[in-house]
Amino acid sequence: MCDRAPVSGADQGVRPILIRGLRRSFSIAPQWWRTPLAALATEPEIAGPAPLPETIEIAHQGQFFRARTPAGQIAVGTLLDLAARIDRGIAEQGFRAEVAHSLLLPAAILRAPAGERCAFIGARASGKTWLSLSLIDAGWRFEGDGWAVAQEGGLTPLPRSIRIAAVPPLLSPALRNRIDAAPTFSIGAQEKIFAIDPRSLSGDWRPESGPIARVFFLELNPGGLSRLRALSPELALGRALAVCRGRPAGRSLIELHRAVCNRAAYRLRLGNPADAVALLEGVMAGKPAEGV
C-alpha cells in the first residue's frame, strides 16, 4: 500500500482518516503503513456485504506523494490532498453503484429523544449540518448528514464524517470543544473544514436502515426566525424529486414515494438555531404546525 513511511513535517501531523464507503466506514489509524490489513477494520459494524478492498499505491515523488489506483489513475500532492481526492472518488463510486437501482437524497437523519426517526432533506448549504449539531446538543441521536438511500420503505444514510466550516456559536462549550479538536482539511483555496468523527459527538452512533417518522424539507432564512409548515404528500414528493440524485423511474420512484410520502412532512425554514430546535421539540410533543 505504501513503499515507505511519510516523513515530511506537514504530513507527520496527519490525523486518523475516515474513508467512507457505500456500505461501511473504514478508519485508517496513524502509522497505517505498518498494518495495512488492520486499516480495513469496520467501526461501527454496518449491515451489508463488505466491499472488496482496492489497493492504492502511494509513493514519494519529490516533495510530494503520488497515488495510483487499480484503474491506473494517478494523482500527485500532499497526503492531505490525496486523502481528499480518494474520499471524493469513493463517494462517487458509491453514487454510481446506488443510482443504478435507487435514489439518493441529500439528508441528515437523526432520532429524537423520544425515539422518532426524522429526516432533514435539503440541497448543499441548506443547513443540514449545523441543525444536526444543534439537535445532537439537545439530546438527539445522530445517524448521518450527507446522503441517504431510499430503499425498503425508508432511508439508509451513507456513513461519513460530519463536515462543517465553522462551529455554530450557540452550541454548548463541551460540544464546541469536541468540534474544535477534530481534524481539519482544506481543498484548494477554500476555508478550513472540520471533519468530525460522529462517535466523538454521539457515542451511540449507529447508521440504520428503516422507515422515517417525519420528513423535514429545509430552506435557509438567514437572520430571520425559523418557521415550520406542514406539507401535503404531493408537495413532499415534488421537493424530494427536486433534490434527489439518480433516475426516478420504476422501482426507485416507488421506493422514494414510500420513504417520504407516507410520513408526516414539513417545510422548515431555518433561521435562528434555537428557534428551529424549539419548533421541532414542539412538533414532537404534539403541537400542530402551520397548514399546507
Side-chain angles (χ1 to χ4, degrees):
M1 293 181 66
C2 184
D3 64 357
R4 59 186 289 192
V7 294
S8 72
D11 290 316
Q12 287 284 355
V14 174
R15 304 281 190 90
I17 300 169
L18 281 180
I19 292 187
R20 272 66 57 188
L22 177 61
R23 299 293 182 189
R24 301 191 174 197
S25 175
F26 300 97
S27 176
I28 298 183
Q31 299 189 332
W32 56 269
W33 61 87
R34 300 186 188 279
T35 55
L37 293 180
L40 298 179
T42 303
E43 297 179 4
E45 188 71 18
I46 297 172
L52 293 175
E54 294 187 1
T55 300
I56 299 176
E57 300 173 359
I58 300 178
H60 278 279
Q61 181 165 317
Q63 297 298 311
F64 297 97
F65 290 83
R66 183 185 72 252
R68 180 185 178 89
T69 69
Q73 297 169 315
I74 295 177
V76 177
T78 66
L79 282 182
L80 289 174
D81 253 346
L82 296 180
R85 296 188 196 186
I86 292 169
D87 181 64
R88 289 198 300 272
I90 289 174
E92 287 299 323
Q93 282 184 353
F95 290 149
R96 287 193 295 270
E98 279 293 358
V99 298
H101 57 85
S102 302
L103 293 175
L104 291 168
L105 286 169
I109 298 180
L110 297 98
R111 192 177 288 275
E116 284 189 291
R117 194 165 179 254
C118 301
F120 301 88
I121 298 172
R124 186 179 181 183
S126 61
K128 294 189 299 295
T129 299
W130 70 253
L131 178 60
S132 295
L133 292 172
S134 298
L135 291 174
I136 290 171
D137 217 12
W140 292 52
R141 185 166 66 78
F142 176 84
E143 290 189 33
D145 75 336
W147 293 88
V149 185
Q151 61 182 11
E152 299 177 0
L155 294 177
T156 304
L158 302 186
R160 54 163 278 175
S161 59
I162 302 172
R163 315 285 180 80
I164 195 166
V167 183
L170 299 181
L171 297 180
S172 66
L175 189 57
R176 287 177 57 85
N177 289 339
R178 291 177 189 172
I179 297 173
D180 283 332
T184 60
F185 67 93
S186 57
I187 301 175
Q190 294 182 9
E191 59 187 328
K192 180 173 67 174
I193 304 295
F194 291 93
I196 309 156
D197 185 339
R199 291 166 295 183
S200 69
L201 304 183
S202 181
D204 189 23
W205 180 50
R206 297 194 313 272
E208 298 176 2
S209 179
I212 297 293
R214 300 176 190 268
V215 179
F216 300 86
F217 293 91
L218 304 183
E219 299 175 7
L220 278 182
N221 185 27
L225 296 175
S226 296
R227 290 286 183 265
L228 189 66
R229 178 181 291 271
L231 292 177
S232 67
E234 294 78 14
L235 288 175
L237 180 60
R239 285 175 176 261
L241 287 170
V243 295
C244 74
R245 185 164 181 174
R247 182 176 297 175
R251 184 67 183 175
S252 65
L253 185 56
I254 293 173
E255 291 292 354
L256 181 67
H257 187 277
R258 291 176 62 198
V260 304
C261 294
N262 297 327
R263 319 295 171 194
Y266 309 85
R267 183 192 73 174
L268 176 57
R269 298 198 69 197
L270 288 174
N272 184 292
D275 290 343
V277 173
L279 284 174
L280 292 170
E281 290 176 341
V283 166
M284 298 299 156
K287 183 179 179 180
E290 298 177 26
V292 176

